[in-house]
Amino acid sequence: LLDSKWALVGLCAVVGLLGTTANATVVAKNVVVKVMERTGDKLFEKALEYPATLDTVPKIKATTPLIITFDSQTVNDTSLVLDQALVSFQHVDTKSEVALPARAVKSTESYKMDVSRKNFRLHFSSAPGVYNVALVLGSFKQGGLFYDLGNVEMVAPKGTKEKKHEVAYGPKPEIHHRFAEPQKMPNILVSLFFTGLVVVPFIGLLGGWAYLGVNADKLQMEPVGSVVFMGLIAAYITLAISYWIGVKLFPTLTYALVLALPTYLTGQYALSKRIEKRI
């Protein structure tokens, strides 16, 4: 955006210079430069007609805004709507430039530029001094105009330090990364104790079967199907333990779906064979 703005300023300046050397049809009329108090009192006012310039250097502060108004006309004294209207401020010493737009005032068919407190702090507080002020006007149909209005002095508030626009080239300071400290874990004996508590229900299950007198001899009626079926059940138990240890959820579900069909088929086969032999 900044580059495009300066490109427009340069374009209007070129068009304006060409226009002034070739009897430009853009004319600035009723140019008034004013310095106002916030209360509305006038500290300075000067009316100019092209190519007249300011004969004094008014002082501008953040509390005393600069206001520039003007009319845009053709050589035939007809009102002209500009495609670009800027007020250029060029520092006399550093040659740095600031361009502020002039807005159209429909009620008076004129243009107005106001250096508000925000613009003053943004552009001039850190770079006080004498600035050359000029109107940069442009029309695609009528040409352009570059009107040098004279000089003004931007006075910075007390205690403001001037910015030094310096570009430093060289290596950047080394970046030191600080990684998060590892979380404190309990003693290994505590972990082993609670791991053992998880196994207790399984041991209780086996003990309950033994106490009830569960008979596993019937598995010999279909040893192959029964062994495969019990192996798949053991695979499910191993999968559950793996998920508890560290396997992610979606891989666990994938493995469970893979085991589901063979578990169902082998279980169905083993039970059907047992029923046939019993009959």
Side-chain angles (χ1 to χ4, degrees):
L1 292 176
L2 184 60
D3 294 340
S4 61
K5 182 179 74 174
W6 290 118
L8 289 173
V9 174
L11 177 61
C12 289
V14 172
V15 173
L17 290 173
L18 293 176
T20 54
T21 57
N23 298 323
T25 56
V26 177
V27 180
K29 293 282 189 177
N30 303 322
V31 181
V32 179
V33 179
K34 294 185 290 186
V35 180
M36 305 288 293
E37 285 277 9
R38 290 295 175 185
T39 57
D41 298 333
K42 296 179 183 178
L43 298 179
F44 175 85
E45 183 175 6
K46 180 70 174 180
L48 300 174
E49 291 294 336
Y50 181 82
T53 60
L54 296 172
D55 52 7
T56 59
V57 181
K59 294 185 177 182
I60 315 300
K61 301 179 181 179
T63 56
T64 56
L66 172 67
I67 300 175
I68 298 177
T69 59
F70 59 91
D71 299 336
S72 177
Q73 299 177 357
T74 65
V75 291
N76 299 325
D77 293 333
T78 58
S79 180
L80 176 65
V81 178
L82 297 172
D83 295 302
Q84 187 71 52
L86 297 173
V87 179
S88 172
F89 295 84
Q90 185 181 51
H91 200 286
V92 173
D93 297 328
T94 63
K95 303 302 179 183
S96 60
E97 292 188 23
V98 176
L100 300 179
R103 66 182 185 276
V105 182
K106 294 183 180 180
S107 59
T108 58
E109 295 184 352
S110 61
Y111 288 84
K112 180 180 179 180
M113 190 285 307
D114 181 1
V115 179
S116 62
R117 181 176 296 184
K118 178 181 178 181
N119 285 333
F120 189 93
R121 291 178 177 176
L122 181 63
H123 300 293
F124 304 112
S125 289
S126 60
V130 179
Y131 284 79
N132 178 258
V133 185
L135 297 181
V136 183
L137 312 180
S139 172
F140 292 117
K141 293 183 179 180
Q142 302 296 331
L145 175 67
F146 185 88
Y147 182 8
D148 186 358
L149 300 180
N151 295 336
V152 298
E153 183 180 357
M154 300 295 182
V155 181
K158 294 182 180 180
T160 303
K161 296 182 179 180
E162 183 176 354
K163 285 185 179 180
K164 294 183 179 180
H165 301 280
E166 297 180 356
V167 179
Y169 297 97
K172 298 293 183 180
E174 183 180 358
I175 300 175
H176 297 278
H177 294 283
R178 183 178 179 181
F179 297 96
E181 297 182 359
Q183 186 178 3
K184 293 183 178 180
M185 303 297 293
N187 191 287
I188 186 65
L189 296 177
V190 177
S191 300
L192 292 175
F193 173 75
F194 282 97
T195 303
L197 290 180
V198 175
V199 183
V200 169
F202 182 72
I203 298 176
L205 176 64
L206 297 179
W209 285 352
Y211 177 78
L212 296 174
V214 175
N215 188 1
D217 296 337
K218 299 295 182 179
L219 295 177
Q220 298 178 359
M221 299 176 62
E222 180 51 49
V224 177
S226 299
V227 171
V228 174
F229 177 70
M230 296 304 295
L232 290 173
I233 296 298
Y236 266 107
I237 297 175
T238 304
L239 182 61
I241 296 174
S242 301
Y243 173 69
W244 182 67
I245 292 175
V247 180
K248 301 298 182 181
L249 175 62
F250 288 104
T252 302
L253 294 177
T254 303
Y255 301 147
L257 290 175
V258 172
L259 294 173
L261 183 60
T263 303
Y264 171 76
L265 294 177
T266 54
Q268 185 73 14
Y269 176 77
L271 292 175
S272 62
K273 290 297 183 181
R274 289 186 60 186
I275 293 173
E276 291 178 359
K277 292 184 178 181
R278 182 178 295 181
I279 294 175

